[in-house]
Amino acid sequence: AILIEMTARVTNQDSKANRATAIPGAITRAEYIYLIILVIVCSIALGVRLYRLGSFPANLMADEADNLGVIYTILAHSGPGPFGLDWKPSPAFSMWVASIFVYFAKNDLLGLRLPSALFSVLALPITYLLYRRYIHPVAAILALTLMSFSVWYLNFSRSGWENVNVVLLTSLALLLLHKALEKKQWKWWILTGLTASLGLYSYFSGRAILLSLIAYAPIAILLHRKQVTKIVAGYGLLIITAIALFIPQLPSIAADPARFNIRAERVSVLNAAEDGYFGHYGIGSILLYQIQRNARFFFDGSVMGGPAYSPPEQPLKDTRPRYSPFGKPLLDPVTALLFALGMILSLFCLRNSSIWWVSFLVPWFFTQVLSINTPDAARGIGMIPSICFFVGLALDKIIAVFKNNKARSVAIVIATFIVASVSIWNTIEYFNWASSPEFLEAREPAVPLSQFEQWSKVQQQRAQEHLPPLTVTEWKEIHGDN
């Protein structure tokens, strides 16, 4: 809070001098302080993620176990290649990236969870650079603080699962798209396409990155009417790059397309239109139900109540309680209030906020509205940068209300205190929830950490012998829970 107040004063004192003696590319004293604050936030965020990362949560849930089993086969040269398919099935590229960390961590659980921790923190400065194009640095940092220490983001930042990488890739793709539209240089379009391609190689919801970029194209053309030809050509280069870089993956998909698409088909709510979905029949009725249900979840946790939907031909376990505290809204009350306020305020500046509406609605619609058993915090992870932008926009407008420098400094300190308090509360809530018997039970089937060393040796031995990894269910049948 002291650093932020100092920044406000330095900014006010230096503004005239900076305008008179500005050196292109020079960093002002205020910007140095912002960078210091950002480094502090990132350092604390990293510390919270690294704390007992290899032993907390206290069991290895099935998704983590299956991921680590695939990684063992990769390290033993008996698993899928970087352009093969893993167990989900999704591109094995993410498992190859994670295998580097597992190798240097000597096959420990820490190595499996470390990529999520590191990439989730790396997303913070990338997202900061993105937010700074729209809102004041103080509002951007406060929004990122709420994002970093939310129960939602913390949970997946400490998981041996690649889905949190989508947050980093989403922010990076949007930042590069801004560069492409501003600089009008082909390299930025190529880099944006490369990032979108990485989204295709990542967790399922990473596919929405390319869809969001394409969905924004008509708006980009409308806002840059004088550069229509270059924008269209740039988007063509973006799409060609993304598809071209994904071509190495196509042979493994073509070898068994049904297997590659089985996950998307199983979770598609449209497949439930004929048999009914929670008492609703027909695509129109089901979609309306899904829209209102998933819109409420940001503010009302009661929509998670009741049984999960399970197709008659495919009994499914309700995995949602392991992704966010069951019965509670996805956002804490302060973040939810700022999110709602930011969305309302954004309607008065749609020219600037349109890209954020697109990057929010596209993944929300495809991963929540069109999916069964939603709201699902895992599938919706790619919405986080957009949600927190609206939070930052609300903070920015609130701070801007105070025209007097002293009043503004006081407002910034109060906002900082509230955000810090909420962040501390959310962090405590995460650790309390993640250590509760209900959470550990929700992660079942899982391998108790007391069995991890034995489980790891068996899985590595099977990998060396070119045998498939044991599933957690198979392991429990052999070794039980003790």
Side-chain angles (χ1 to χ4, degrees):
I2 293 173
L3 282 170
I4 290 177
E5 184 178 8
M6 287 171 55
T7 304
R9 292 177 178 177
V10 168
T11 303
N12 293 328
Q13 293 169 1
D14 288 358
S15 58
K16 293 182 179 179
N18 286 341
R19 284 195 296 269
T21 62
I23 300 173
I27 299 178
T28 66
R29 281 186 289 173
E31 289 171 333
Y32 271 122
I33 297 178
Y34 296 138
L35 290 176
I36 292 172
I37 299 171
L38 183 62
V39 169
I40 291 173
V41 171
C42 291
S43 299
I44 297 173
L46 181 61
V48 169
R49 283 154 174 77
L50 294 181
Y51 173 70
R52 294 178 57 195
L53 185 60
S55 59
F56 188 93
N59 59 14
L60 187 72
M61 69 175 181
D63 293 317
E64 291 181 310
D66 291 338
N67 281 347
L68 192 51
V70 171
I71 290 171
Y72 286 154
T73 65
I74 291 172
L75 294 176
H77 307 290
S78 62
F83 301 112
L85 297 176
D86 64 13
W87 63 273
K88 298 178 189 65
S90 63
F93 182 81
S94 295
M95 296 298 97
W96 272 76
V97 173
S99 69
I100 299 172
F101 295 87
V102 172
Y103 173 80
F104 284 105
K106 302 186 184 303
N107 301 319
D108 198 1
L109 178 57
L110 174 64
L112 177 68
R113 293 174 174 172
L114 191 57
S116 292
L118 296 179
F119 292 150
S120 68
V121 174
L122 180 59
L124 301 180
I126 300 295
T127 310
Y128 172 78
L129 293 176
L130 188 56
Y131 288 176
R132 276 293 291 115
R133 294 170 170 271
Y134 295 90
I135 58 179
H136 192 276
V138 171
I141 292 173
L142 292 179
L144 286 172
T145 302
L146 289 173
M147 164 182 161
S148 178
F149 298 102
S150 67
V151 176
W152 181 16
Y153 198 43
L154 262 180
N155 183 39
F156 292 106
S157 298
R158 294 177 53 89
S159 173
W161 205 4
E162 73 274 18
N163 62 344
V164 79
N165 301 354
V166 176
V167 177
L168 171 62
L169 294 174
T170 297
S171 292
L172 183 57
L174 290 175
L175 180 62
L176 292 170
L177 179 62
H178 280 76
K179 288 282 189 180
L181 292 170
E182 292 170 1
K183 301 295 185 181
K184 301 177 180 63
Q185 297 174 343
W186 301 123
K187 67 178 181 180
W188 297 111
W189 292 104
I190 293 173
L191 290 173
T192 308
L194 185 153
T195 306
S197 184
L198 289 175
L200 299 177
Y201 281 107
S202 186
Y203 179 65
F204 296 105
S205 60
R207 302 172 190 178
I209 295 175
L210 182 58
L211 294 176
S212 297
L213 295 174
I214 295 174
Y216 182 68
I219 300 175
I221 292 172
L222 182 64
L223 296 178
H224 300 82
R225 288 187 291 270
K226 295 182 179 180
Q227 303 289 332
V228 172
T229 303
K230 287 189 175 181
I231 299 297
V232 172
Y235 259 100
L237 186 57
L238 184 162
I239 296 171
I240 290 172
T241 301
I243 295 175
L245 292 175
F246 196 66
I247 287 176
Q249 185 70 52
L250 298 183
S252 62
I253 296 175
D256 194 350
R259 177 171 176 258
F260 178 74
N261 292 317
I262 191 171
R263 171 68 177 175
E265 291 177 357
R266 283 180 176 176
V267 301
S268 173
V269 76
L270 300 181
N271 291 337
E274 186 174 336
D275 298 324
Y277 184 77
F278 290 116
H280 296 266
Y281 296 85
I283 294 176
S285 175
I286 289 176
L287 288 181
L288 286 175
Y289 171 72
Q290 283 287 86
I291 288 171
Q292 63 85 18
R293 178 182 175 89
N294 283 284
R296 283 174 52 198
F297 184 48
F298 297 108
F299 317 99
D300 178 12
S302 66
V303 298
M304 290 275 278
Y309 172 80
S310 187
E313 73 283 358
Q314 180 64 39
L316 296 175
K317 172 184 170 64
D318 188 6
T319 57
R320 293 173 300 166
R322 68 175 67 157
Y323 301 148
S324 62
F326 201 76
K328 293 187 177 182
L330 192 57
L331 305 176
D332 63 79
V334 172
T335 303
L337 178 62
L338 291 170
F339 172 52
L341 178 60
M343 295 185 83
I344 294 171
L345 292 172
S346 72
L347 298 177
F348 297 95
C349 54
L350 272 177
R351 179 183 180 90
N352 285 332
S353 63
S354 57
I355 192 170
W356 294 105
W357 277 99
V358 171
S359 62
F360 167 69
L361 290 175
V362 170
W364 177 73
F365 187 77
F366 279 96
T367 68
Q368 303 297 298
V369 175
L370 294 183
S371 295
I372 64 171
N373 288 332
T374 53
D376 186 295
R379 299 175 205 162
I381 196 81
M383 299 184 294
I384 287 181
S386 302
I387 290 172
C388 288
F389 167 77
F390 290 117
V391 172
L393 180 64
L395 288 166
D396 183 70
K397 297 301 183 183
I398 291 172
I399 293 172
V401 167
F402 300 91
K403 303 300 182 182
N404 180 275
N405 293 336
K406 185 175 181 179
R408 181 174 294 186
S409 296
V410 172
I412 288 174
V413 172
I414 293 174
T416 304
F417 175 77
I418 293 174
V419 168
S421 300
V422 171
S423 299
I424 292 172
W425 177 268
N426 284 341
T427 302
I428 294 172
E429 183 177 9
Y430 161 73
F431 281 100
N432 287 338
W433 169 60
S435 61
S436 67
E438 294 79 12
F439 176 75
L440 296 177
E441 175 63 27
R443 289 167 61 88
E444 293 289 342
V447 177
L449 292 193
S450 59
Q451 294 184 357
F452 177 77
E453 185 175 352
Q454 181 186 9
W455 175 90
S456 178
K457 289 180 179 178
V458 170
Q459 298 287 45
Q460 290 180 63
Q461 182 62 38
R462 291 180 65 86
Q464 293 290 343
E465 297 173 358
H466 290 243
L467 296 173
L470 291 174
T471 66
V472 174
T473 301
E474 291 170 339
W475 171 266
K476 284 180 171 290
E477 289 175 353
I478 298 172
H479 298 276
D481 292 324
N482 299 316

